[in-house]
Amino acid sequence: MPLLVDDRRVDLARHAGDVVRAHPHLEEKAKLLRSQPAQIVEPKGLLYVQQREFAVTTPKDGSVSILGSDDATTCHIVVLRHTGSGATCLTHCDGSDTEAEVSLIMSSVKSFSDTTGYGRLEVHLVGGFNDDRQLSQKLTNQLLRAFDLQPDDVHLVTFCVTELNDREEKDIHFPIIYGIAVNVKTAEIFPATFPEKGPDEALRSAHVLTGATNLSTSPLAEPPHFVSHIRSTLTFLKEHPFPSRSLFPDRKPRIYKKNEEGLWEQVCSDKS
């Protein structure tokens, strides 16, 4: 079953700009999203999602109320939500295996939902810009195709990607929105930044960095803290050349939970 806008199948042959111009409410929603200043999201109640990660929860979650991710240049942030159950998934896609990622988040949201009852699946796509290598456009196309191939109807509700998320300054292109958050309880989506990106921010960043061929797909468009972030991640890798020994002794996982203040704290693996 196809990817839909206004109950009509999305024309995958069109560029992002042509898609929204064919559906004025999509263009208006993208414009409204771009006009909002980024909100600073504090760590209480937050589950931060890094590149190549995803998280899913429901409004009944007593610990997590916000899912969020940022530092997306050519990457796209995807929010998939079932309007009946409120089950919400956020993922940070970089194009490494888009079709598999979309299938995974679809099955994750459906596992929290009764898709035979009330409600529908809605998707929100944000990120990318007019980069010289057209990586953003490629990822936009991959995501549209991947959702169009799903066995369930998926309704495209927010589409603020690539040329719709682009600004130019001194002949250099940048994204307008680098990060978003979704309030799981209200379904509100808004531009956001995150002072805290834990738990285990450096470890999770190192996991992505060690599999990368480049430190950045768009170095001129990276946010100001990009260099310090890469430096801290490389320092972490230097301090832990054998993480399976230093960080995962006896192959035990690192487990975290939200405490009463809504902040992450590590749980002793022996007690899990």
Side-chain angles (χ1 to χ4, degrees), residues 56-250:
V56 60
T57 189
T58 73
K60 297 179 181 179
D61 191 326
S63 300
V64 173
S65 56
I66 300 286
L67 302 177
S69 188
D70 64 355
D71 294 347
T73 52
T74 58
C75 291
H76 290 19
I77 301 170
V78 180
V79 175
L80 180 68
R81 181 175 180 271
H82 189 272
T83 61
S85 67
T88 303
C89 179
L90 184 145
T91 185
H92 185 134
C93 297
D94 63 4
S96 54
D97 196 351
T98 304
E99 194 168 317
E101 286 178 305
V102 168
S103 295
L104 186 58
I105 66 173
M106 285 284 294
S107 62
S108 298
V109 170
K110 287 163 62 178
S111 71
F112 282 89
S113 309
D114 178 11
T115 53
T116 62
Y118 167 77
R120 67 180 194 175
L121 290 162
E122 295 184 346
V123 67
H124 309 261
L125 306 179
V126 181
F129 67 110
N130 281 337
D131 62 284
D132 291 339
R133 298 165 63 190
Q134 297 188 332
L135 297 175
S136 300
Q137 182 64 59
K138 180 180 178 182
L139 180 53
T140 295
N141 294 341
Q142 288 177 350
L143 284 165
L144 292 176
R145 282 196 301 270
F147 279 107
D148 193 62
L149 290 171
Q150 297 307 306
D152 301 273
D153 285 348
V154 182
H155 298 263
L156 180 61
V157 176
T158 304
F159 196 55
C160 188
V161 294
T162 311
E163 64 188 271
L164 305 167
N165 190 45
D166 182 81
R167 68 179 179 88
E168 188 175 351
E169 183 178 329
K170 297 180 180 178
D171 297 324
I172 299 175
H173 289 265
F174 299 87
I176 297 172
I177 299 173
Y178 283 89
I180 61 169
V182 55
N183 185 314
V184 177
K185 302 186 186 304
T186 67
E188 179 191 7
I189 294 175
F190 52 92
T193 61
F194 309 89
E196 299 291 334
K197 303 181 181 183
D200 270 339
E201 177 185 359
L203 173 60
R204 293 156 67 196
S205 297
H207 173 70
V208 175
L209 192 62
T210 52
T213 55
N214 299 294
L215 296 180
S216 171
T217 57
S218 51
L220 295 178
E222 294 291 352
H225 59 265
F226 174 75
V227 173
S228 61
H229 170 70
I230 291 295
R231 185 182 295 116
S232 64
T233 304
L234 292 174
T235 300
F236 176 86
L237 286 168
K238 183 178 180 181
E239 292 172 349
H240 297 279
F242 303 103
S244 59
R245 300 177 190 173
S246 61
L247 299 174
F248 300 96
D250 301 320

Side-chain angles (χ1 to χ4, degrees), residues 1-22:
M1 294 184 181
L3 179 66
L4 304 169
V5 179
D6 298 332
D7 294 321
R8 289 183 290 165
R9 190 168 192 168
V10 175
D11 185 353
L12 300 184
R14 289 181 168 183
H15 285 281
D18 294 331
V19 170
V20 296
R21 281 187 283 272

Side-chain angles (χ1 to χ4, degrees), residues 244-263:
S244 59
R245 300 177 190 173
S246 61
L247 299 174
F248 300 96
D250 301 320
R251 304 186 70 177
K252 293 179 179 177
R254 296 169 66 86
I255 302 173
Y256 290 83
K257 69 174 184 179
K258 287 282 189 179
N259 60 24
E260 293 180 355
E261 287 74 41
L263 306 177

Side-chain angles (χ1 to χ4, degrees), residues 21-39:
R21 281 187 283 272
H23 304 280
H25 70 282
L26 275 184
E27 187 168 20
E28 187 61 31
K29 190 161 188 177
K31 182 180 179 180
L32 180 62
L33 191 65
R34 293 194 303 267
S35 70
Q36 299 177 32
Q39 298 183 35

